[in-house]
Amino acid sequence: MDILVINAGSSSLKYQLFNMEDGKVLAKGIAERIGVKGGNINHSWMRQGAYLTKTLDIDMPDHHAAFDEISGLLVSKDAGIIQHKDDIDAVGHRVVHGGEHYTQTQKITDAVKKAIEELIPLAPLHNPANLIGINAAEKAFPNAAHIAVFDTAFHHTVPEKAFRYAIPEKYYLQDRIRSYGFHGTSHRYVYGQAVKYLNNKKLKAITIHLGNGASMCAINEKGESVETSMGFGPLAGLIMGTRSGDIDPSVIFHMADELKIPLEDIKNVLNKQSGMLGIGGSNDARDIGRLYEEGNKNALLCYEMYGHRIKKYIGAYTAVLNGADAIIFTAGVGENDALARHYACEGLSALGIVLDEAANVSGNHPEEPVEIQSGSSKVKILVIPTNEELEIALQAYQVMRDRVDKSPG
């Protein structure tokens, strides 16, 4: 079974084609600058055990045009990997927000698309693009099953005592204001990899997804998310590339009432001008790392603040879980920045968390799970590369298998 995984942005479209018999990526790529001049597609495909690449410089007025080009590449003589686009059995779509209703992976129907549209106010930057991608993919691959995998779905097991805010009940009942959490696909994937690696089916773990967006998740021995750091939107929790993370709401009132900053400008400051960028001058941890090595004080402060925020959540989630067996670092910063892991783990020996500094440095850029804790650590410290696309493919594959199992005869 071949499954195409789609991650649609407002002006980009990432894709990977999986052969589900062995989980290998047959082809992958990204279409960029959709809807503007100077568009291009970077396409890679497997040929005799190695990836070949091709760049196509072409303007794509919309996502429909992008899919036409991508489907053409997939079946082309020089860069193709399948005979006909109908060879694709299913298309798995990343959808950021599924609200309270969609707690599992879903075959896409008109009702599902309507629900995704109705949730746009909760994810205005993501759900519109996800929906555009779904509509365009359905036209490009009309005979494939289309399946939605929701980032929020993994967190549906978070109990009410954790997802409710202490505001009047009507705002939850009428307006659905509550914590939803995000990055669920990544948290689910790396937790599953840790269970396999440690051979512990009752693993209690704290997963730490550190990219330009960042979040943490407490996962109990049943594999259920019971707490997560992002909330109603993706601004809460950890310090991120450009987002502030947790902030006293009084600061927002002060900026609006006393400093006379328009609300839209405050939103822009907290979402696009804060985090690593606001503290250290760049939203790229590699830039902050270089400045740190040069002795830059702001870079040092950035790492200290970044790590301190993570440590606060490690402590809180250890309490929520009544002890953790493992903490897991993943995503761009989590997998590749030893300094970030160092500052996140230092001074946690009272919780049984002790880092091996040499293993931490050598643990960068792993292709498989690696352990970076010292021999005296009671808690495993793992670095596990995330693979959200594979997780989407696996969930779509399970939906397809369930359909076959339930079919008559």
Side-chain angles (χ1 to χ4, degrees):
M1 185 181 292
D2 291 341
I3 294 180
L4 181 66
V5 172
I6 297 298
N7 186 349
S10 58
S11 63
S12 66
L13 193 129
K14 298 178 183 178
Y15 61 94
Q16 290 194 29
L17 179 62
F18 289 88
N19 180 327
M20 298 312 296
E21 290 182 9
D22 54 18
K24 289 185 178 179
V25 178
L26 302 177
K28 59 185 177 180
I30 181 171
E32 297 181 287
R33 297 182 63 81
I34 298 172
V36 296
K37 292 289 185 181
N40 63 82
I41 300 175
N42 291 307
H43 176 73
S44 301
W45 68 100
M46 180 68 72
R47 189 66 53 86
Q48 296 180 341
Y51 283 111
L52 303 177
T53 61
K54 178 178 182 177
T55 299
L56 188 65
D57 293 316
I58 186 167
D59 289 341
M60 296 164 283
D62 54 30
H63 286 69
H64 293 282
F67 269 115
D68 286 343
E69 297 298 336
I70 291 167
S71 60
L73 285 167
L74 291 173
V75 300
S76 65
K77 290 184 178 180
D78 62 331
I81 202 72
I82 55 177
Q83 295 296 316
H84 191 274
K85 64 181 183 179
D86 285 346
D87 292 341
I88 294 173
D89 300 284
V91 181
H93 297 264
R94 178 189 179 225
V95 180
V96 166
H97 215 305
E100 289 190 310
H101 187 66
Y102 291 111
T103 60
Q104 301 292 335
T105 298
Q106 298 284 327
K107 183 179 183 301
I108 295 173
T109 63
D110 288 342
V112 171
K113 289 195 287 185
K114 183 179 179 182
I116 293 170
E117 184 176 11
E118 290 173 348
L119 288 165
I120 285 175
L122 300 186
L125 300 180
H126 297 94
N127 271 32
N130 299 156
L131 191 57
I132 290 170
I134 289 169
N135 288 327
E138 286 180 330
K139 183 178 179 182
F141 304 99
N143 295 322
H146 291 263
I147 295 163
V149 179
F150 299 95
D151 263 5
T152 52
F154 182 56
H155 302 302
H156 82 275
T157 50
V158 172
E160 188 172 11
K161 64 183 179 183
F163 74 66
R164 284 281 297 273
Y165 294 120
I167 58 178
E169 186 181 42
K170 66 178 182 178
Y171 293 109
Y172 169 60
L173 297 178
Q174 297 174 16
D175 304 303
R176 316 316 291 172
I177 295 177
R178 50 158 287 181
S179 173
Y180 290 98
F182 300 92
H183 293 142
T185 306
S186 178
H187 290 297
R188 184 200 299 264
Y189 178 79
V190 296
Y191 175 81
Q193 293 299 299
V195 167
K196 292 178 185 177
Y197 175 78
L198 297 173
N199 193 27
N200 182 355
K201 293 183 179 180
K202 295 186 177 181
L203 184 71
K204 293 195 290 185
I206 300 169
T207 51
I208 308 172
H209 177 109
L210 302 177
N212 195 47
S215 68
M216 289 173 60
C217 182
I219 305 176
N220 67 15
E221 64 277 8
K222 298 178 183 179
E224 299 170 335
S225 171
V226 293
E227 253 290 11
T228 189
S229 59
M230 283 183 172
F232 180 72
L235 182 59
L238 305 181
I239 293 170
M240 306 178 217
T242 63
R243 300 177 201 149
S244 66
D246 290 341
I247 189 169
D248 180 353
S250 299
V251 173
I252 299 172
F253 306 145
H254 179 79
M255 294 171 78
D257 297 338
E258 303 300 327
L259 304 184
K260 308 302 181 184
I261 301 174
L263 187 59
E264 191 63 31
D265 291 348
I266 296 173
K267 185 190 298 184
N268 191 57
V269 167
L270 297 181
N271 278 287
K272 298 181 180 181
Q273 299 175 16
S274 298
M276 282 188 163
L277 177 63
I279 305 164
S282 173
N283 68 320
D284 191 323
R286 292 168 294 188
D287 293 338
I288 303 297
R290 284 190 287 268
L291 291 170
Y292 176 94
E293 295 298 334
E294 295 169 3
N296 183 283
K297 291 182 179 179
N298 286 342
L300 170 61
L301 177 62
C302 184
Y303 270 110
E304 289 178 334
M305 290 177 64
Y306 193 84
H308 181 72
R309 185 73 58 83
I310 295 169
K311 285 167 63 175
K312 286 171 66 175
Y313 274 91
I314 290 175
Y317 288 1
T318 299
V320 167
L321 293 170
N322 193 21
D325 301 312
I327 62 174
I328 303 163
F329 289 93
T330 193
V333 177
E335 296 169 29
N336 304 311
D337 195 324
L339 267 176
R341 297 192 299 265
H342 163 79
Y343 279 103
C345 292
E346 69 170 351
L348 292 178
S349 58
L351 298 180
I353 298 169
V354 184
L355 194 69
D356 181 311
E357 294 293 352
N360 181 40
V361 172
S362 64
N364 273 351
H365 317 296
E367 295 184 0
E368 302 290 340
V370 295
E371 299 182 32
I372 59 171
Q373 77 278 354
S374 76
S376 63
S377 184
K378 296 179 180 179
V379 176
K380 295 284 187 180
I381 307 175
L382 304 177
V383 183
I384 300 180
T386 192
N387 194 331
E388 292 171 277
E389 290 79 11
L390 177 57
E391 180 64 27
I392 291 170
L394 290 169
Q395 291 189 45
Y397 180 62
Q398 187 60 53
V399 169
M400 295 294 288
R401 289 286 301 272
D402 289 345
R403 290 176 68 198
V404 171
D405 292 341
K406 293 175 182 178
S407 62

